[in-house]
Amino acid sequence: MKKSLTLGVVLISSIILAACGNKNSNVATNHSSSSSKVEKATSKKTDPSKRKWTYKNNIFDAGIETYKFTKTEIRDSATEGKKVLVMYCDITNNSKKEQDPSNIYMVVHAYQKTGTADKNLSVGMNAYDDDGNDPLQKYNDGLQDKLLAGKTTHAAIMFTLVNDNDVTVTFQNPEFKTIGKKVISVKGLGASTSSSSSSSSNASSASSVSSASSKAAQASTSQKSKPSTAQSSATANSQKQNQVAASSNPNQSLTDFVNEYGMSPAAYKMQHDGISEKEALDSTPRGMKSSGEIQRQNELDNQQ
């Protein structure tokens, strides 16, 4: 009898302990499952690639990268007689990998109305200063260089203007649907592309007249003792063209060339050799092109 009672107590105790163990196991399993769900939900919220792209208050949130536009101005273009719209921005890499900020040109476009169309503006390139330096070099580098994870850089995007009308800048999402617009008043920024072109033309005409008068005077006084101005000019141009053709020399830098000629090799070829922009860019080594020229070449290649 006592043995039976003892066995009964032991059996009941085992059942109770087993039930408690299962309950604790279920609680632990449920807790683990809940934690996993919370981690997944948190991961979705913090993963920048999952974020919805937006444009608001001059901030373009493109998921893995954020572009905060801080300033807009008009500058002289590398193309004579043209102006470029410069949009300065701070770019932040929100991801854990290096990113290419220049990809913004795939989803940000600028338009100006002409007499017949709403023209899609080309990517622009600013002019060099009187010393042959690029005043916006750090901003161009900020756009073209790979941006490290979690870092922020200063950059600028540029578009070549075709007139003085307002510029409408559009921002697109990954599906290339417009999610925002920014209208910029060119006249409000104090620029006039037409008057600039006219002034440049007038200045060029005046310079040509003055140069012609000077050459005529020199020819009349020293025609017999010195070679003709035309011959000297032709010789000088030939020498310059030979030097430009040798611009692939690894010992010569882009800065050296610009300091000597006041323009890049590609711009020199267009102005003095009369070739097209694409031909000039294609025939110039990559190391002798500015970041803006490289971007422009890619744009021309994509238009084919």
Side-chain angles (χ1 to χ4, degrees):
M1 180 68 179
K2 288 182 179 181
K3 289 183 178 180
S4 298
L5 181 61
T6 301
L7 290 174
V9 171
V10 172
L11 181 59
I12 293 173
S13 298
S14 299
I15 294 174
I16 293 174
L17 290 174
C20 290
N22 289 336
K23 182 177 181 180
N24 291 335
S25 176
N26 290 336
V27 170
T29 302
N30 292 336
H31 179 72
S32 176
S33 177
S34 299
S35 299
S36 178
K37 290 180 180 179
V38 170
E39 288 177 0
K40 289 182 179 180
T42 303
S43 176
K44 288 183 178 180
K45 289 182 179 180
T46 58
D47 186 355
S49 64
K50 305 294 184 182
R51 281 213 307 251
K52 181 181 180 181
W53 290 24
T54 60
Y55 174 74
K56 186 177 181 181
N57 297 330
N58 290 321
I59 298 177
F60 180 40
D61 186 346
I64 57 177
E65 292 176 296
T66 299
Y67 298 78
K68 181 180 179 181
F69 292 93
T70 57
K71 178 184 175 183
T72 305
E73 68 177 3
I74 305 296
R75 279 183 169 267
D76 289 331
S77 169
T79 303
E80 188 175 358
K82 294 287 187 179
K83 296 284 186 181
V84 291
L85 172 68
V86 183
M87 299 177 66
Y88 297 91
C89 57
D90 294 337
I91 306 174
T92 300
N93 182 354
N94 303 316
S95 73
K96 296 181 179 179
K97 298 180 180 179
E98 291 184 0
Q99 298 298 334
D100 183 357
S102 67
N103 286 334
I104 189 175
Y105 281 121
M106 298 176 62
V107 290
V108 174
H109 307 279
Y111 300 86
Q112 266 187 318
K113 293 188 183 302
T114 63
T116 58
D118 195 9
K119 187 172 180 60
N120 188 355
L121 303 183
S122 301
V123 173
M125 175 182 171
N126 61 287
Y128 289 92
D129 60 23
D130 294 337
D131 295 326
N133 299 316
D134 183 356
L136 302 183
Q137 187 65 56
K138 71 174 184 178
Y139 297 99
N140 286 323
D141 289 344
L143 188 69
Q144 298 297 330
D145 293 343
K146 292 297 176 86
L147 183 57
L148 298 178
K151 300 297 183 181
T152 297
T153 188
H154 303 297
I157 62 175
M158 306 180 202
F159 298 98
T160 302
L161 301 174
V162 295
N163 53 41
D164 295 334
N165 293 335
D166 291 350
V167 175
T168 300
V169 182
T170 63
F171 301 85
Q172 298 176 329
N173 63 14
E175 288 75 40
F176 301 106
K177 294 181 179 179
T178 299
I179 58 175
K181 294 182 179 181
K182 178 180 177 66
V183 178
I184 300 172
S185 172
V186 174
K187 295 178 180 178
L189 293 174
S192 176
T193 57
S194 57
S195 62
S196 172
S197 299
S198 177
S199 298
S200 175
S201 178
N202 291 337
S204 178
S205 298
S207 177
S208 298
V209 171
S210 176
S211 177
S213 300
S214 176
K215 289 179 181 179
Q218 291 176 358
S220 63
T221 57
S222 58
Q223 183 174 4
K224 295 182 180 180
S225 60
K226 296 181 180 180
S228 68
T229 302
Q231 289 175 330
S232 298
S233 177
T235 301
N237 286 337
S238 177
Q239 292 175 342
K240 285 185 176 181
Q241 288 172 358
N242 290 336
Q243 289 172 324
V244 171
S247 62
S248 58
N249 184 346
N251 296 323
Q252 184 183 41
S253 68
L254 174 60
T255 301
D256 293 336
F257 188 96
V258 172
N259 285 338
E260 184 173 355
Y261 298 105
M263 63 185 75
S264 69
Y268 186 94
K269 292 175 184 178
M270 287 187 286
Q271 182 171 332
H272 294 274
D273 297 348
I275 62 178
S276 69
E277 181 181 19
K278 189 175 189 313
E279 290 173 329
L281 292 172
D282 287 344
S283 62
T284 303
R286 182 180 179 86
M288 296 298 289
K289 288 181 284 195
S290 68
S291 57
E293 287 177 325
I294 294 173
Q295 183 66 39
R296 176 58 178 162
Q297 184 178 18
N298 291 335
E299 182 184 37
L300 292 173
D301 291 340
N302 292 333
Q303 289 177 356
Q304 291 185 331

